[in-house]
Amino acid sequence: MHDYGIDFAVYDWYWAKENKPMLEHALAAYFQAKNSHLVRFSLLWANHSSTPESLDQFKRMVAYWIKYYFPKKQYYRIDGKPVVFIFSQEQLRERAKAFGMTSAALFKIANEMAKGAGLPGIFFVGSTEATEYWVKDYGPKNGYDAFSAYNYHRGFSGKYLPNKRFSHSFGELDAAYRESWDWILKESPLPYLLPATSGWSKKPWGGSKDPLHDNSVSTPETFREHLLAAKVRLNQYPEKTKRTVVICCWNEFGEGSYIEPTKTWGMRYLEAIKSAFPDN
């Protein structure tokens, strides 16, 4: 990763009802790697589940972060704060509501816990589509420090259009990202860590509801063009983007989104990153 310009990796991370992490094997392997110091790491809290079910469960999870992850030198930080990506703003809002809390209240508690451990706080990044409610209203009012996204399937420019179809090619998917980037960069009051994609195809997992959406696959060449378009936005908005692109994904083979070397493409996706960002 490091040799191809990748600075940090964001690991999907799950918290079980039994108050312990799930599917932590990738992080465990990372910690054992002798050269892990070359690529920093962060967590994407995959909160699209039934947790947290209570305030106590949330606090136990945050305490785990503070004890086992945040002290590590290679943890990715912004403004000195360890960064935690939130998969779903909506899911967290609904889970918090179920036990009489709000996202803002939970983040306040988490930040107080972090400060009690000698940290300056936690930098929470919420996933969002390019819609007015999440970007201009809910997120800024509920304790988020920045926005990004796991992935997009269609683009918006402020108004949520439920009947807008998903992309049917990588060209359409790329256009959807560009539409979303441009609206959020113009309208968001918070920083926006630019999400990028290597494509989409759910065929390995049985296919998307719209089969044509699974044609949204890239080549190393079209992926590079996508990254160059992202780079233009970084140069236009260096402060708002923190000059950061978050690529989905390293090895999400079940959804056709990967840059990990394969028999088909070899190292060409990684080479595309290095070519697009030669100074990184």
Side-chain angles (χ1 to χ4, degrees):
M1 288 183 176
H2 172 265
D3 292 345
Y4 293 91
I6 297 174
D7 295 322
F8 68 97
V10 186
Y11 288 83
D12 285 4
W13 191 88
Y14 301 82
W15 188 247
K17 293 181 180 180
E18 296 79 15
N19 288 315
K20 62 181 182 180
M22 297 168 54
L23 304 174
E24 204 181 17
H25 51 282
L27 262 178
Y30 166 80
F31 293 145
Q32 292 176 10
K34 294 180 180 179
N35 59 351
S36 63
H37 63 283
L38 296 176
V39 177
R40 291 169 292 170
F41 80 100
S42 182
L43 303 179
L44 168 69
W45 176 24
N47 68 314
H48 48 304
S49 66
S50 60
T51 57
E53 296 179 322
S54 66
L55 176 58
D56 177 70
Q57 190 173 67
F58 176 79
K59 291 170 71 173
R60 285 172 180 258
M61 179 184 70
V62 174
Y64 192 94
W65 296 345
I66 292 171
K67 181 176 181 179
Y68 292 103
Y69 301 136
F70 295 169
K72 294 185 180 296
K73 292 181 179 179
Q74 63 266 51
Y75 199 96
Y76 176 57
R77 301 168 190 271
I78 294 178
D79 300 333
K81 300 177 181 179
V83 177
V84 174
F85 292 80
I86 307 296
F87 181 83
S88 173
Q89 291 189 71
E90 183 176 9
Q91 288 279 2
L92 184 56
R93 181 191 66 184
E94 296 307 305
R95 293 309 311 159
K97 188 186 300 183
F99 53 89
M101 299 290 287
T102 64
S103 298
L106 293 180
F107 289 156
K108 182 179 179 181
I109 290 169
N111 275 296
E112 289 173 349
M113 291 174 65
K115 290 175 181 177
L119 296 164
I122 302 172
F123 195 94
F124 286 106
V125 181
S127 296
T128 189
E129 292 183 304
T131 55
E132 291 266 357
Y133 174 70
W134 296 108
V135 172
K136 299 177 72 174
D137 184 17
Y138 186 83
K141 294 178 181 177
N142 281 274
Y144 288 92
D145 298 289
F147 294 123
S148 190
Y150 185 76
N151 56 19
Y152 295 137
H153 300 277
R154 54 190 173 178
F156 297 122
S157 294
K159 185 177 181 180
Y160 177 67
L161 303 172
N163 295 322
K164 187 174 184 179
R165 70 166 175 81
F166 289 1
S167 63
H168 287 174
S169 67
F170 187 74
E172 289 188 1
L173 187 60
D174 175 49
Y177 271 74
R178 297 186 193 209
E179 179 183 358
S180 300
W181 292 340
D182 290 340
W183 187 85
I184 294 176
L185 286 169
K186 180 181 178 182
E187 300 293 340
S188 173
L190 299 179
Y192 180 45
L193 310 184
L194 219 64
T197 183
S198 56
W200 175 270
S201 173
K202 208 175 180 181
K203 288 181 180 179
W205 285 352
S208 299
K209 186 175 181 180
D210 176 1
L212 294 178
H213 186 36
D214 292 330
N215 293 330
S216 304
V217 294
S218 69
T219 64
E221 291 75 21
T222 56
F223 174 59
R224 179 178 180 274
E225 291 301 315
H226 179 65
L227 295 181
L228 289 174
K231 186 177 182 179
V232 169
R233 276 74 176 178
L234 297 191
N235 292 333
Q236 289 176 327
Y237 297 90
E239 294 298 324
K240 181 164 277 190
T241 62
K242 304 285 186 181
R243 298 197 62 82
T244 299
V245 174
V246 183
I247 299 170
C248 180
C249 297
W250 175 251
N251 59 357
E252 190 67 88
F253 291 106
E255 295 177 352
S257 189
Y258 53 87
I259 57 174
E260 185 177 21
T262 62
K263 289 183 178 179
T264 299
W265 296 113
M267 309 291 285
R268 288 175 62 189
Y269 275 90
L270 294 178
E271 290 166 353
I273 297 171
K274 187 64 175 177
S275 174
F277 300 98
D279 299 325
N280 209 35

Coordinates of all heavy atoms in Angstrom, one line a residue, residues 56-132:
D56 N -25.1 2.0 28.0 CA -24.0 1.3 28.6 C -23.2 0.5 27.5 O -22.0 0.5 27.5 CB -24.5 0.2 29.6 CG -23.4 -0.6 30.2 OD1 -22.6 -0.1 30.9 OD2 -23.4 -1.8 29.8
Q57 N -23.9 0.0 26.5 CA -23.3 -0.8 25.4 C -22.4 0.2 24.6 O -21.3 -0.1 24.2 CB -24.3 -1.4 24.6 CG -23.7 -2.4 23.6 CD -24.8 -3.2 22.9 OE1 -25.6 -2.6 22.1 NE2 -24.9 -4.5 23.1
F58 N -23.0 1.4 24.3 CA -22.2 2.4 23.6 C -20.9 2.8 24.3 O -19.8 2.8 23.7 CB -23.1 3.6 23.3 CG -22.3 4.7 22.6 CD1 -22.1 4.7 21.3 CD2 -21.9 5.8 23.3 CE1 -21.5 5.7 20.6 CE2 -21.2 6.9 22.7 CZ -21.0 6.8 21.3
K59 N -21.0 3.0 25.6 CA -19.9 3.4 26.4 C -18.8 2.3 26.5 O -17.6 2.6 26.4 CB -20.3 3.8 27.8 CG -21.1 5.1 27.8 CD -21.8 5.4 29.2 CE -20.8 5.8 30.2 NZ -21.4 6.3 31.5
R60 N -19.3 1.1 26.5 CA -18.3 0.0 26.5 C -17.6 -0.1 25.2 O -16.4 -0.4 25.2 CB -19.1 -1.4 26.8 CG -19.5 -1.6 28.2 CD -20.4 -2.8 28.3 NE -20.8 -3.1 29.6 CZ -20.3 -4.0 30.5 NH1 -19.3 -4.7 30.0 NH2 -20.8 -4.2 31.7
M61 N -18.3 0.2 24.1 CA -17.6 0.2 22.8 C -16.6 1.3 22.7 O -15.4 1.1 22.3 CB -18.7 0.4 21.7 CG -18.1 0.4 20.3 SD -19.4 0.7 19.1 CE -19.7 2.4 19.4
V62 N -16.9 2.5 23.1 CA -16.0 3.6 23.1 C -14.8 3.3 24.0 O -13.6 3.6 23.6 CB -16.7 4.9 23.5 CG1 -15.7 6.1 23.6 CG2 -17.8 5.3 22.5
A63 N -15.0 2.8 25.2 CA -14.0 2.4 26.1 C -13.0 1.4 25.4 O -11.8 1.5 25.6 CB -14.5 1.8 27.4
Y64 N -13.5 0.5 24.6 CA -12.7 -0.4 23.9 C -11.8 0.3 22.9 O -10.6 0.0 22.8 CB -13.5 -1.5 23.2 CG -12.8 -2.7 22.7 CD1 -12.6 -3.8 23.5 CD2 -12.2 -2.6 21.4 CE1 -11.9 -4.9 23.0 CE2 -11.5 -3.7 21.0 CZ -11.4 -4.9 21.7 OH -10.7 -6.0 21.3
W65 N -12.4 1.2 22.2 CA -11.6 2.0 21.2 C -10.4 2.7 21.9 O -9.3 2.7 21.5 CB -12.4 3.1 20.6 CG -13.6 2.7 19.7 CD1 -13.7 1.4 19.2 CD2 -14.6 3.5 19.2 NE1 -14.9 1.4 18.4 CE2 -15.5 2.6 18.4 CE3 -15.0 4.8 19.4 CZ2 -16.6 3.1 17.8 CZ3 -16.2 5.3 18.8 CH2 -17.0 4.4 18.0
I66 N -10.8 3.4 23.0 CA -9.8 4.2 23.8 C -8.7 3.3 24.3 O -7.5 3.7 24.3 CB -10.5 5.0 24.9 CG1 -11.4 6.0 24.3 CG2 -9.5 5.6 25.9 CD1 -12.3 6.7 25.3
K67 N -9.0 2.1 24.8 CA -8.0 1.3 25.4 C -7.1 0.5 24.4 O -5.9 0.5 24.5 CB -8.7 0.2 26.3 CG -7.7 -0.7 27.0 CD -8.4 -1.7 27.9 CE -7.4 -2.6 28.6 NZ -8.1 -3.5 29.6
Y68 N -7.7 0.0 23.3 CA -7.0 -0.9 22.4 C -6.6 -0.2 21.1 O -5.6 -0.8 20.4 CB -7.9 -2.1 22.1 CG -8.0 -3.0 23.3 CD1 -9.3 -3.0 24.0 CD2 -7.0 -3.8 23.8 CE1 -9.4 -3.8 25.1 CE2 -7.2 -4.6 24.9 CZ -8.4 -4.6 25.6 OH -8.6 -5.3 26.7
Y69 N -7.2 0.8 20.6 CA -6.8 1.4 19.3 C -6.2 2.8 19.4 O -5.2 3.0 18.8 CB -8.1 1.5 18.4 CG -8.8 0.1 18.2 CD1 -10.2 0.0 18.3 CD2 -8.0 -1.0 17.9 CE1 -10.8 -1.2 18.0 CE2 -8.7 -2.2 17.7 CZ -10.0 -2.3 17.8 OH -10.7 -3.5 17.5
F70 N -6.9 3.7 20.0 CA -6.4 5.1 20.0 C -5.0 5.3 20.5 O -4.4 6.3 20.0 CB -7.4 6.0 20.8 CG -8.8 6.1 20.2 CD1 -9.9 6.6 20.9 CD2 -9.1 5.6 18.9 CE1 -11.1 6.7 20.3 CE2 -10.3 5.6 18.3 CZ -11.4 6.2 19.0
P71 N -4.5 4.5 21.5 CA -3.1 4.8 21.9 C -2.1 4.5 20.9 O -0.9 4.9 21.0 CB -3.0 3.9 23.2 CG -4.4 3.6 23.6 CD -5.2 3.6 22.3
K72 N -2.4 3.7 19.9 CA -1.4 3.3 18.9 C -0.9 4.4 18.0 O -1.7 5.2 17.6 CB -2.0 2.1 18.0 CG -2.3 0.9 18.8 CD -2.7 -0.3 17.9 CE -3.0 -1.5 18.7 NZ -1.8 -2.1 19.3
K73 N 0.4 4.5 17.8 CA 1.0 5.6 17.1 C 0.5 5.7 15.7 O 0.4 6.8 15.1 CB 2.5 5.5 17.1 CG 3.1 5.7 18.5 CD 4.6 5.6 18.4 CE 5.3 5.8 19.8 NZ 6.7 5.7 19.8
Q74 N 0.1 4.6 15.1 CA -0.3 4.6 13.7 C -1.8 4.8 13.5 O -2.2 4.8 12.4 CB 0.1 3.3 13.0 CG -0.5 2.0 13.5 CD 0.3 1.3 14.6 OE1 0.7 1.9 15.5 NE2 0.5 0.0 14.4
Y75 N -2.5 5.2 14.6 CA -3.9 5.5 14.4 C -4.0 6.8 13.6 O -3.4 7.8 14.0 CB -4.7 5.5 15.7 CG -6.2 5.4 15.5 CD1 -6.8 4.2 15.6 CD2 -6.9 6.5 15.1 CE1 -8.1 4.1 15.4 CE2 -8.3 6.4 14.8 CZ -8.9 5.2 15.0 OH -10.2 5.0 14.7
Y76 N -4.9 6.8 12.6 CA -5.1 8.0 11.8 C -5.8 9.1 12.6 O -6.8 8.9 13.2 CB -5.9 7.6 10.6 CG -6.3 8.7 9.6 CD1 -5.3 9.6 9.1 CD2 -7.6 9.0 9.3 CE1 -5.6 10.6 8.2 CE2 -8.0 10.0 8.4 CZ -7.0 10.8 7.9 OH -7.3 11.8 7.0
R77 N -5.3 10.3 12.5 CA -5.8 11.4 13.3 C -6.0 12.7 12.4 O -5.2 12.9 11.5 CB -4.9 11.8 14.5 CG -4.7 10.6 15.5 CD -3.5 10.9 16.4 NE -3.2 9.7 17.2 CZ -3.8 9.3 18.3 NH1 -4.7 10.1 18.9 NH2 -3.4 8.2 18.9
I78 N -6.9 13.5 12.8 CA -7.1 14.8 12.2 C -7.2 15.8 13.3 O -8.0 15.6 14.3 CB -8.4 14.8 11.3 CG1 -8.3 13.9 10.1 CG2 -8.7 16.3 10.9 CD1 -9.5 13.9 9.2
D79 N -6.5 16.8 13.2 CA -6.4 17.8 14.3 C -6.0 17.2 15.7 O -6.5 17.6 16.7 CB -7.7 18.6 14.4 CG -8.1 19.3 13.2 OD1 -7.2 19.7 12.4 OD2 -9.3 19.5 12.9
G80 N -5.2 16.1 15.6 CA -4.8 15.5 16.8 C -5.8 14.5 17.3 O -5.5 13.7 18.3
K81 N -7.0 14.4 16.7 CA -8.0 13.5 17.2 C -8.1 12.2 16.4 O -8.0 12.2 15.2 CB -9.4 14.2 17.2 CG -9.5 15.5 18.0 CD -10.9 16.1 17.7 CE -11.0 17.4 18.5 NZ -12.3 18.1 18.3
P82 N -8.2 11.1 17.1 CA -8.4 9.8 16.4 C -9.7 9.9 15.6 O -10.8 10.3 16.1 CB -8.5 8.7 17.5 CG -8.8 9.5 18.7 CD -8.2 10.8 18.6
V83 N -9.7 9.4 14.3 CA -10.8 9.5 13.4 C -11.6 8.2 13.4 O -11.1 7.1 13.3 CB -10.3 9.8 12.0 CG1 -11.5 9.8 11.0 CG2 -9.6 11.1 11.9
V84 N -12.9 8.3 13.6 CA -13.9 7.2 13.5 C -14.9 7.6 12.4 O -15.6 8.6 12.6 CB -14.5 6.9 14.8 CG1 -15.6 5.8 14.7 CG2 -13.5 6.5 15.9
F85 N -15.0 6.7 11.4 CA -16.0 6.9 10.4 C -17.3 6.2 10.8 O -17.2 5.1 11.4 CB -15.5 6.3 9.1 CG -14.4 7.0 8.4 CD1 -13.1 6.8 8.9 CD2 -14.6 7.9 7.4 CE1 -12.0 7.5 8.3 CE2 -13.6 8.6 6.8 CZ -12.3 8.4 7.2
I86 N -18.4 6.8 10.6 CA -19.7 6.2 11.0 C -20.4 5.8 9.7 O -20.6 6.6 8.8 CB -20.6 7.2 11.7 CG1 -19.9 7.8 12.9 CG2 -21.9 6.5 12.1 CD1 -19.5 6.8 14.0
F87 N -20.7 4.5 9.6 CA -21.3 4.0 8.3 C -22.7 4.6 8.0 O -22.9 5.0 6.9 CB -21.5 2.5 8.4 CG -22.1 1.9 7.1 CD1 -21.3 1.6 6.1 CD2 -23.4 1.6 7.0 CE1 -21.8 1.0 4.9 CE2 -24.0 1.1 5.9 CZ -23.2 0.8 4.8
S88 N -23.5 4.8 9.0 CA -24.9 5.3 8.8 C -25.3 6.3 9.8 O -25.5 6.0 11.0 CB -25.9 4.2 8.7 OG -27.2 4.7 8.6
Q89 N -25.4 7.6 9.4 CA -26.0 8.6 10.3 C -27.4 8.2 10.7 O -27.8 8.4 11.9 CB -26.0 9.9 9.6 CG -24.7 10.6 9.3 CD -24.9 12.0 8.8 OE1 -25.3 12.9 9.6 NE2 -24.6 12.2 7.6
E90 N -28.2 7.7 9.8 CA -29.6 7.4 10.0 C -29.7 6.3 11.0 O -30.5 6.3 12.0 CB -30.3 7.0 8.7 CG -31.8 6.7 8.9 CD -32.5 6.4 7.6 OE1 -31.8 6.3 6.6 OE2 -33.7 6.4 7.6
Q91 N -28.9 5.2 10.9 CA -29.0 4.1 11.8 C -28.6 4.5 13.2 O -29.2 4.1 14.2 CB -28.1 3.0 11.3 CG -28.6 2.2 10.1 CD -29.6 1.2 10.5 OE1 -30.0 1.0 11.6 NE2 -30.1 0.5 9.4
L92 N -27.6 5.3 13.3 CA -27.2 5.8 14.7 C -28.3 6.7 15.3 O -28.6 6.5 16.5 CB -25.9 6.5 14.6 CG -25.3 7.0 16.0 CD1 -25.1 5.8 16.9 CD2 -24.0 7.7 15.8
R93 N -28.9 7.5 14.5 CA -30.0 8.3 15.0 C -31.1 7.5 15.6 O -31.6 7.7 16.7 CB -30.5 9.2 13.9 CG -31.7 10.1 14.3 CD -32.3 10.8 13.1 NE -33.0 9.8 12.3 CZ -33.6 10.1 11.1 NH1 -33.6 11.3 10.6 NH2 -34.2 9.1 10.4
E94 N -31.5 6.4 14.8 CA -32.6 5.6 15.2 C -32.2 4.7 16.4 O -33.1 4.5 17.3 CB -33.0 4.7 14.0 CG -33.6 5.5 12.9 CD -34.7 6.5 13.3 OE1 -35.7 6.0 14.0 OE2 -34.6 7.7 13.1
R95 N -31.0 4.2 16.5 CA -30.6 3.4 17.6 C -30.5 4.2 18.9 O -31.0 3.8 19.9 CB -29.2 2.7 17.4 CG -29.2 1.7 16.3 CD -30.2 0.6 16.4 NE -30.3 0.0 17.7 CZ -31.3 -0.6 18.2 NH1 -32.4 -0.7 17.5 NH2 -31.3 -1.1 19.4
A96 N -30.0 5.4 18.8 CA -29.9 6.3 19.9 C -31.4 6.7 20.4 O -31.6 6.7 21.6 CB -29.2 7.6 19.6
K97 N -32.2 6.9 19.5 CA -33.6 7.3 19.8 C -34.3 6.2 20.6 O -35.1 6.4 21.5 CB -34.4 7.6 18.5 CG -35.8 8.2 18.8 CD -36.5 8.3 17.5 CE -35.8 9.2 16.5 NZ -36.6 9.4 15.2
A98 N -34.0 4.9 20.3 CA -34.6 3.8 20.9 C -34.3 3.7 22.4 O -35.1 3.1 23.1 CB -34.1 2.5 20.2
F99 N -33.2 4.2 22.8 CA -33.0 4.2 24.3 C -32.9 5.7 24.8 O -32.2 6.0 25.8 CB -31.7 3.4 24.7 CG -30.5 3.7 24.0 CD1 -29.6 4.7 24.4 CD2 -30.1 3.0 22.8 CE1 -28.4 4.9 23.8 CE2 -28.9 3.3 22.2 CZ -28.0 4.2 22.7
G100 N -33.6 6.6 24.2 CA -33.8 7.9 24.7 C -32.7 8.9 24.6 O -32.5 9.8 25.4
M101 N -31.8 8.6 23.6 CA -30.6 9.5 23.4 C -30.7 10.1 22.0 O -31.5 9.8 21.2 CB -29.3 8.7 23.6 CG -29.2 8.1 25.0 SD -28.9 9.4 26.3 CE -27.2 9.8 25.9
T102 N -29.7 10.9 21.7 CA -29.5 11.5 20.4 C -28.0 11.2 20.0 O -27.2 10.9 20.8 CB -29.7 13.0 20.3 OG1 -28.7 13.6 21.2 CG2 -31.1 13.3 20.8
S103 N -27.8 11.3 18.7 CA -26.4 11.1 18.2 C -25.5 12.2 18.9 O -24.4 11.9 19.3 CB -26.3 11.3 16.7 OG -27.1 10.3 16.1
A104 N -26.0 13.4 19.0 CA -25.2 14.5 19.6 C -24.8 14.1 21.0 O -23.7 14.4 21.4 CB -26.0 15.8 19.5
A105 N -25.8 13.6 21.8 CA -25.5 13.3 23.2 C -24.5 12.1 23.3 O -23.6 12.1 24.1 CB -26.8 12.9 23.8
L106 N -24.6 11.2 22.4 CA -23.6 10.0 22.4 C -22.2 10.5 22.0 O -21.3 10.1 22.7 CB -24.1 9.0 21.4 CG -25.4 8.2 21.7 CD1 -25.7 7.2 20.7 CD2 -25.3 7.5 23.1
F107 N -22.1 11.4 21.0 CA -20.8 11.9 20.7 C -20.2 12.8 21.8 O -19.0 12.7 22.0 CB -20.9 12.7 19.4 CG -21.2 11.9 18.2 CD1 -21.8 12.5 17.0 CD2 -20.8 10.6 18.1 CE1 -22.0 11.8 15.9 CE2 -21.0 9.9 16.9 CZ -21.6 10.5 15.8
K108 N -21.1 13.5 22.5 CA -20.6 14.3 23.6 C -20.0 13.4 24.7 O -18.9 13.7 25.2 CB -21.7 15.1 24.2 CG -21.3 16.0 25.4 CD -22.4 16.9 25.9 CE -22.0 17.7 27.1 NZ -23.1 18.6 27.6
I109 N -20.7 12.3 25.0 CA -20.2 11.3 26.0 C -18.9 10.7 25.5 O -17.9 10.6 26.3 CB -21.3 10.3 26.3 CG1 -22.5 10.9 27.0 CG2 -20.7 9.1 27.0 CD1 -23.7 10.0 27.1
A110 N -18.8 10.3 24.2 CA -17.6 9.7 23.7 C -16.4 10.7 23.8 O -15.3 10.3 24.1 CB -17.9 9.3 22.3
N111 N -16.7 11.9 23.5 CA -15.6 12.9 23.5 C -15.1 13.1 25.0 O -13.9 13.3 25.2 CB -16.1 14.2 22.9 CG -15.9 14.2 21.4 OD1 -14.8 14.2 20.9 ND2 -17.0 14.3 20.7
E112 N -16.1 13.2 25.9 CA -15.7 13.3 27.3 C -14.9 12.1 27.8 O -13.9 12.3 28.5 CB -17.0 13.5 28.2 CG -17.7 14.8 28.0 CD -19.0 14.9 28.7 OE1 -19.5 13.8 29.1 OE2 -19.6 16.0 28.7
M113 N -15.2 10.9 27.3 CA -14.5 9.7 27.7 C -13.0 9.8 27.1 O -12.1 9.5 27.8 CB -15.2 8.5 27.2 CG -16.5 8.2 27.9 SD -17.4 6.8 27.2 CE -16.2 5.4 27.5
A114 N -12.9 10.3 25.9 CA -11.6 10.4 25.2 C -10.8 11.4 25.9 O -9.6 11.2 26.2 CB -11.8 10.8 23.8
K115 N -11.4 12.6 26.3 CA -10.6 13.6 27.0 C -10.2 13.1 28.4 O -9.1 13.5 28.8 CB -11.5 14.9 27.1 CG -11.7 15.5 25.7 CD -12.6 16.7 25.8 CE -12.8 17.4 24.4 NZ -13.8 18.5 24.4
G116 N -11.0 12.3 29.0 CA -10.7 11.8 30.3 C -9.5 10.9 30.2 O -8.8 10.6 31.2
A117 N -9.2 10.3 29.0 CA -8.1 9.4 28.8 C -6.9 10.2 28.3 O -5.9 9.6 27.9 CB -8.4 8.3 27.8
G118 N -7.0 11.5 28.2 CA -5.8 12.4 27.8 C -5.8 12.7 26.3 O -4.8 13.3 25.8
L119 N -6.9 12.4 25.6 CA -7.0 12.7 24.2 C -7.7 14.0 24.0 O -8.5 14.4 24.9 CB -7.7 11.6 23.4 CG -7.1 10.2 23.4 CD1 -8.1 9.1 23.0 CD2 -5.8 10.2 22.5
P120 N -7.5 14.7 22.9 CA -8.2 15.9 22.6 C -9.7 15.7 22.2 O -10.4 16.7 22.1 CB -7.4 16.6 21.5 CG -6.8 15.4 20.8 CD -6.5 14.4 21.8
G121 N -10.1 14.5 22.0 CA -11.5 14.2 21.6 C -11.4 13.1 20.5 O -10.4 12.5 20.2
I122 N -12.6 12.9 19.8 CA -12.7 12.0 18.7 C -13.2 12.8 17.5 O -14.2 13.6 17.7 CB -13.6 10.8 19.1 CG1 -13.1 10.1 20.3 CG2 -13.7 9.8 17.9 CD1 -14.1 9.0 20.8
F123 N -12.7 12.5 16.4 CA -13.1 13.2 15.1 C -14.1 12.2 14.4 O -13.7 11.2 13.8 CB -11.9 13.5 14.2 CG -12.1 14.4 13.1 CD1 -11.9 15.8 13.3 CD2 -12.6 14.0 11.9 CE1 -12.1 16.7 12.3 CE2 -12.8 14.9 10.8 CZ -12.5 16.2 11.0
F124 N -15.4 12.5 14.5 CA -16.4 11.7 13.9 C -16.7 12.1 12.5 O -17.1 13.2 12.2 CB -17.7 11.7 14.8 CG -17.5 10.9 16.1 CD1 -17.4 11.6 17.3 CD2 -17.5 9.5 16.1 CE1 -17.3 10.9 18.5 CE2 -17.4 8.8 17.3 CZ -17.3 9.5 18.5
V125 N -16.7 11.1 11.6 CA -16.9 11.4 10.1 C -18.2 10.6 9.8 O -18.2 9.4 9.8 CB -15.8 10.9 9.2 CG1 -16.1 11.2 7.8 CG2 -14.5 11.6 9.7
G126 N -19.2 11.3 9.4 CA -20.5 10.7 9.0 C -20.6 10.4 7.5 O -20.3 11.3 6.7
S127 N -21.1 9.2 7.2 CA -21.4 8.9 5.8 C -22.6 9.7 5.3 O -23.6 9.7 6.1 CB -21.5 7.4 5.5 OG -20.4 6.7 5.9
T128 N -22.6 10.2 4.1 CA -23.8 10.9 3.6 C -23.9 11.0 2.1 O -22.9 10.9 1.4 CB -23.7 12.4 4.1 OG1 -25.0 13.0 3.8 CG2 -22.6 13.2 3.5
E129 N -25.1 11.0 1.7 CA -25.4 11.3 0.3 C -25.5 12.8 0.1 O -25.5 13.5 1.1 CB -26.7 10.6 -0.2 CG -26.6 9.1 -0.3 CD -27.8 8.5 -0.8 OE1 -28.9 8.7 -0.2 OE2 -27.7 7.7 -1.8
A130 N -25.6 13.3 -1.1 CA -25.6 14.7 -1.3 C -27.0 15.2 -1.2 O -27.7 15.7 -2.2 CB -25.0 15.0 -2.7
T131 N -27.5 15.2 0.0 CA -28.9 15.7 0.3 C -28.9 16.7 1.4 O -28.1 16.7 2.3 CB -29.8 14.5 0.7 OG1 -29.2 13.8 1.8 CG2 -30.0 13.5 -0.5
E132 N -29.8 17.7 1.3 CA -29.9 18.8 2.2 C -30.0 18.4 3.6 O -29.3 19.0 4.5 CB -31.2 19.6 1.8 CG -31.1 20.4 0.5 CD -30.6 21.8 0.6 OE1 -30.4 22.2 1.8 OE2 -30.5 22.5 -0.4

